[in-house]
Amino acid sequence: MCLAVPGRVLDIGEKDGTRMATVDFGGVQKEVCLEYLPDLQVGEYAIVHVGFALQRLDEESAKQTLELFAQLGMLQEEFGDPWEQAAAAGGDPWPFADDPDPDPEAGRPAPALAAPQEEGRP
């Protein structure tokens, strides 16, 4: 699903002759094109769809919408890691989770991955 998501402009610059911004969507930051809203300023909110800022939005409405999307799990669906989502859809756990202890009952961290050593070398 593709959503139009409100986000707050963090900074503005130019890339290849196009006015671009870094926009925060409730903790997720993405690069967004500002060509449809050339007068949008840092600190303002806009509704963004497929990488384009389409409409200016007041802060209260933006925060309410982001909160609602978060409660419904729509932000994770829109901005989540597609590889993690594919693993979950296949019924497998995501092997690169932030939790360093995959077996909390064992009370020990997961073993660290190490590069193989050649014989005779420390």
mmCIF file of all heavy atoms in Angstrom, residues 59-83:
data_model
loop_
_atom_site.group_PDB
_atom_site.id
_atom_site.type_symbol
_atom_site.label_atom_id
_atom_site.label_comp_id
_atom_site.label_asym_id
_atom_site.label_seq_id
_atom_site.Cartn_x
_atom_site.Cartn_y
_atom_site.Cartn_z
ATOM 1 N N GLU A 59 0.886 21.538 11.975
ATOM 2 C CA GLU A 59 1.585 20.627 12.872
ATOM 3 C C GLU A 59 0.637 19.705 13.640
ATOM 4 O O GLU A 59 0.882 18.504 13.748
ATOM 5 C CB GLU A 59 2.445 21.414 13.862
ATOM 6 C CG GLU A 59 3.252 20.541 14.797
ATOM 7 C CD GLU A 59 4.177 21.347 15.700
ATOM 8 O OE1 GLU A 59 4.155 22.596 15.660
ATOM 9 O OE2 GLU A 59 4.932 20.706 16.453
ATOM 10 N N GLU A 60 -0.444 20.230 14.158
ATOM 11 C CA GLU A 60 -1.375 19.408 14.946
ATOM 12 C C GLU A 60 -1.973 18.279 14.104
ATOM 13 O O GLU A 60 -2.013 17.125 14.530
ATOM 14 C CB GLU A 60 -2.488 20.275 15.532
ATOM 15 C CG GLU A 60 -3.439 19.487 16.419
ATOM 16 C CD GLU A 60 -4.544 20.354 17.014
ATOM 17 O OE1 GLU A 60 -4.366 21.576 17.119
ATOM 18 O OE2 GLU A 60 -5.590 19.784 17.360
ATOM 19 N N SER A 61 -2.423 18.607 12.901
ATOM 20 C CA SER A 61 -2.991 17.577 12.016
ATOM 21 C C SER A 61 -1.942 16.531 11.649
ATOM 22 O O SER A 61 -2.234 15.336 11.604
ATOM 23 C CB SER A 61 -3.537 18.216 10.737
ATOM 24 O OG SER A 61 -4.607 19.070 11.032
ATOM 25 N N ALA A 62 -0.714 16.975 11.388
ATOM 26 C CA ALA A 62 0.362 16.053 11.030
ATOM 27 C C ALA A 62 0.645 15.080 12.173
ATOM 28 O O ALA A 62 0.741 13.868 11.957
ATOM 29 C CB ALA A 62 1.621 16.830 10.668
ATOM 30 N N LYS A 63 0.750 15.604 13.390
ATOM 31 C CA LYS A 63 1.052 14.744 14.546
ATOM 32 C C LYS A 63 -0.087 13.769 14.828
ATOM 33 O O LYS A 63 0.153 12.609 15.156
ATOM 34 C CB LYS A 63 1.365 15.593 15.779
ATOM 35 C CG LYS A 63 2.714 16.269 15.666
ATOM 36 C CD LYS A 63 3.046 17.076 16.896
ATOM 37 C CE LYS A 63 4.449 17.654 16.790
ATOM 38 N NZ LYS A 63 4.820 18.405 17.993
ATOM 39 N N GLN A 64 -1.326 14.219 14.706
ATOM 40 C CA GLN A 64 -2.474 13.325 14.911
ATOM 41 C C GLN A 64 -2.472 12.199 13.884
ATOM 42 O O GLN A 64 -2.715 11.037 14.206
ATOM 43 C CB GLN A 64 -3.782 14.102 14.832
ATOM 44 C CG GLN A 64 -4.051 14.987 16.007
ATOM 45 C CD GLN A 64 -5.318 15.823 15.824
ATOM 46 O OE1 GLN A 64 -5.908 15.898 14.746
ATOM 47 N NE2 GLN A 64 -5.741 16.487 16.896
ATOM 48 N N THR A 65 -2.189 12.545 12.640
ATOM 49 C CA THR A 65 -2.172 11.535 11.577
ATOM 50 C C THR A 65 -1.038 10.541 11.787
ATOM 51 O O THR A 65 -1.229 9.327 11.657
ATOM 52 C CB THR A 65 -2.050 12.209 10.199
ATOM 53 O OG1 THR A 65 -3.136 13.126 10.041
ATOM 54 C CG2 THR A 65 -2.079 11.183 9.083
ATOM 55 N N LEU A 66 0.155 11.031 12.136
ATOM 56 C CA LEU A 66 1.284 10.133 12.386
ATOM 57 C C LEU A 66 0.992 9.192 13.551
ATOM 58 O O LEU A 66 1.317 8.001 13.497
ATOM 59 C CB LEU A 66 2.555 10.930 12.662
ATOM 60 C CG LEU A 66 3.222 11.554 11.437
ATOM 61 C CD1 LEU A 66 4.316 12.526 11.860
ATOM 62 C CD2 LEU A 66 3.783 10.471 10.530
ATOM 63 N N GLU A 67 0.360 9.708 14.591
ATOM 64 C CA GLU A 67 0.001 8.879 15.749
ATOM 65 C C GLU A 67 -0.988 7.789 15.339
ATOM 66 O O GLU A 67 -0.847 6.628 15.714
ATOM 67 C CB GLU A 67 -0.587 9.745 16.860
ATOM 68 C CG GLU A 67 -1.090 8.976 18.065
ATOM 69 C CD GLU A 67 0.013 8.286 18.856
ATOM 70 O OE1 GLU A 67 1.151 8.751 18.814
ATOM 71 O OE2 GLU A 67 -0.284 7.266 19.502
ATOM 72 N N LEU A 68 -1.995 8.162 14.563
ATOM 73 C CA LEU A 68 -2.987 7.195 14.101
ATOM 74 C C LEU A 68 -2.339 6.124 13.217
ATOM 75 O O LEU A 68 -2.579 4.926 13.389
ATOM 76 C CB LEU A 68 -4.105 7.900 13.333
ATOM 77 C CG LEU A 68 -5.203 7.009 12.762
ATOM 78 C CD1 LEU A 68 -5.919 6.246 13.882
ATOM 79 C CD2 LEU A 68 -6.190 7.832 11.962
ATOM 80 N N PHE A 69 -1.482 6.549 12.288
ATOM 81 C CA PHE A 69 -0.781 5.589 11.428
ATOM 82 C C PHE A 69 0.061 4.631 12.260
ATOM 83 O O PHE A 69 0.119 3.436 11.984
ATOM 84 C CB PHE A 69 0.107 6.316 10.416
ATOM 85 C CG PHE A 69 -0.623 6.923 9.245
ATOM 86 C CD1 PHE A 69 -2.004 6.839 9.108
ATOM 87 C CD2 PHE A 69 0.078 7.596 8.259
ATOM 88 C CE1 PHE A 69 -2.658 7.396 8.023
ATOM 89 C CE2 PHE A 69 -0.569 8.160 7.170
ATOM 90 C CZ PHE A 69 -1.928 8.055 7.051
ATOM 91 N N ALA A 70 0.746 5.171 13.287
ATOM 92 C CA ALA A 70 1.587 4.331 14.144
ATOM 93 C C ALA A 70 0.731 3.313 14.897
ATOM 94 O O ALA A 70 1.088 2.134 14.993
ATOM 95 C CB ALA A 70 2.382 5.201 15.120
ATOM 96 N N GLN A 71 -0.407 3.743 15.430
ATOM 97 C CA GLN A 71 -1.299 2.827 16.157
ATOM 98 C C GLN A 71 -1.806 1.713 15.255
ATOM 99 O O GLN A 71 -1.960 0.574 15.689
ATOM 100 C CB GLN A 71 -2.485 3.596 16.741
ATOM 101 C CG GLN A 71 -2.142 4.484 17.900
ATOM 102 C CD GLN A 71 -3.338 5.318 18.345
ATOM 103 O OE1 GLN A 71 -4.445 5.200 17.830
ATOM 104 N NE2 GLN A 71 -3.106 6.191 19.313
ATOM 105 N N LEU A 72 -2.049 2.026 14.005
ATOM 106 C CA LEU A 72 -2.563 1.032 13.065
ATOM 107 C C LEU A 72 -1.458 0.185 12.429
ATOM 108 O O LEU A 72 -1.740 -0.719 11.656
ATOM 109 C CB LEU A 72 -3.365 1.730 11.962
ATOM 110 C CG LEU A 72 -4.623 2.465 12.428
ATOM 111 C CD1 LEU A 72 -5.225 3.264 11.281
ATOM 112 C CD2 LEU A 72 -5.642 1.476 12.978
ATOM 113 N N GLY A 73 -0.200 0.512 12.739
ATOM 114 C CA GLY A 73 0.920 -0.230 12.168
ATOM 115 C C GLY A 73 1.211 0.137 10.734
ATOM 116 O O GLY A 73 1.945 -0.560 10.039
ATOM 117 N N MET A 74 0.644 1.236 10.269
ATOM 118 C CA MET A 74 0.796 1.606 8.868
ATOM 119 C C MET A 74 2.164 2.218 8.573
ATOM 120 O O MET A 74 2.647 2.119 7.447
ATOM 121 C CB MET A 74 -0.322 2.552 8.454
ATOM 122 C CG MET A 74 -1.694 1.882 8.519
ATOM 123 S SD MET A 74 -3.040 3.030 8.262
ATOM 124 C CE MET A 74 -3.155 2.954 6.485
ATOM 125 N N LEU A 75 2.801 2.842 9.573
ATOM 126 C CA LEU A 75 4.133 3.394 9.330
ATOM 127 C C LEU A 75 5.142 2.280 9.117
ATOM 128 O O LEU A 75 6.006 2.369 8.252
ATOM 129 C CB LEU A 75 4.569 4.298 10.487
ATOM 130 C CG LEU A 75 3.831 5.629 10.591
ATOM 131 C CD1 LEU A 75 4.324 6.416 11.791
ATOM 132 C CD2 LEU A 75 3.998 6.441 9.322
ATOM 133 N N GLN A 76 5.037 1.205 9.902
ATOM 134 C CA GLN A 76 5.936 0.071 9.710
ATOM 135 C C GLN A 76 5.710 -0.555 8.343
ATOM 136 O O GLN A 76 6.646 -0.926 7.654
ATOM 137 C CB GLN A 76 5.726 -0.972 10.816
ATOM 138 C CG GLN A 76 6.578 -2.215 10.665
ATOM 139 C CD GLN A 76 8.067 -1.946 10.738
ATOM 140 O OE1 GLN A 76 8.502 -0.966 11.304
ATOM 141 N NE2 GLN A 76 8.857 -2.818 10.140
ATOM 142 N N GLU A 77 4.450 -0.642 7.934
ATOM 143 C CA GLU A 77 4.135 -1.203 6.620
ATOM 144 C C GLU A 77 4.713 -0.338 5.508
ATOM 145 O O GLU A 77 5.242 -0.841 4.521
ATOM 146 C CB GLU A 77 2.617 -1.315 6.459
ATOM 147 C CG GLU A 77 2.190 -1.939 5.145
ATOM 148 C CD GLU A 77 0.683 -2.067 5.043
ATOM 149 O OE1 GLU A 77 0.039 -2.394 6.052
ATOM 150 O OE2 GLU A 77 0.157 -1.838 3.944
ATOM 151 N N GLU A 78 4.623 0.976 5.681
ATOM 152 C CA GLU A 78 5.090 1.897 4.650
ATOM 153 C C GLU A 78 6.612 2.042 4.650
ATOM 154 O O GLU A 78 7.230 2.079 3.600
ATOM 155 C CB GLU A 78 4.443 3.273 4.858
ATOM 156 C CG GLU A 78 4.749 4.274 3.772
ATOM 157 C CD GLU A 78 4.068 3.988 2.447
ATOM 158 O OE1 GLU A 78 3.164 3.143 2.381
ATOM 159 O OE2 GLU A 78 4.464 4.611 1.452
ATOM 160 N N PHE A 79 7.224 2.123 5.846
ATOM 161 C CA PHE A 79 8.648 2.424 5.941
ATOM 162 C C PHE A 79 9.501 1.276 6.450
ATOM 163 O O PHE A 79 10.710 1.401 6.535
ATOM 164 C CB PHE A 79 8.881 3.626 6.863
ATOM 165 C CG PHE A 79 8.294 4.890 6.341
ATOM 166 C CD1 PHE A 79 7.353 5.576 7.082
ATOM 167 C CD2 PHE A 79 8.671 5.404 5.117
ATOM 168 C CE1 PHE A 79 6.810 6.759 6.608
ATOM 169 C CE2 PHE A 79 8.130 6.591 4.645
ATOM 170 C CZ PHE A 79 7.199 7.265 5.391
ATOM 171 N N GLY A 80 8.870 0.162 6.820
ATOM 172 C CA GLY A 80 9.628 -0.954 7.370
ATOM 173 C C GLY A 80 10.568 -1.576 6.349
ATOM 174 O O GLY A 80 10.489 -1.328 5.156
ATOM 175 N N ASP A 81 11.467 -2.399 6.844
ATOM 176 C CA ASP A 81 12.443 -3.075 6.006
ATOM 177 C C ASP A 81 11.746 -4.156 5.189
ATOM 178 O O ASP A 81 11.168 -5.089 5.741
ATOM 179 C CB ASP A 81 13.514 -3.697 6.895
ATOM 180 C CG ASP A 81 14.647 -4.305 6.111
ATOM 181 O OD1 ASP A 81 14.387 -4.948 5.082
ATOM 182 O OD2 ASP A 81 15.796 -4.160 6.548
ATOM 183 N N PRO A 82 11.788 -4.071 3.850
ATOM 184 C CA PRO A 82 11.082 -5.064 3.029
ATOM 185 C C PRO A 82 11.633 -6.478 3.202
ATOM 186 O O PRO A 82 10.891 -7.443 3.082
ATOM 187 C CB PRO A 82 11.256 -4.564 1.596
ATOM 188 C CG PRO A 82 12.396 -3.621 1.644
ATOM 189 C CD PRO A 82 12.443 -3.058 3.037
ATOM 190 N N TRP A 83 12.922 -6.601 3.506
ATOM 191 C CA TRP A 83 13.502 -7.935 3.717
ATOM 192 C C TRP A 83 12.963 -8.550 4.999
ATOM 193 O O TRP A 83 12.647 -9.730 5.058
ATOM 194 C CB TRP A 83 15.027 -7.858 3.759
ATOM 195 C CG TRP A 83 15.603 -7.404 2.463
ATOM 196 C CD1 TRP A 83 16.123 -6.168 2.183
ATOM 197 C CD2 TRP A 83 15.673 -8.143 1.237
ATOM 198 N NE1 TRP A 83 16.521 -6.105 0.876
ATOM 199 C CE2 TRP A 83 16.267 -7.302 0.269
ATOM 200 C CE3 TRP A 83 15.297 -9.426 0.871
ATOM 201 C CZ2 TRP A 83 16.489 -7.717 -1.033
ATOM 202 C CZ3 TRP A 83 15.531 -9.825 -0.432
ATOM 203 C CH2 TRP A 83 16.119 -8.982 -1.361
#
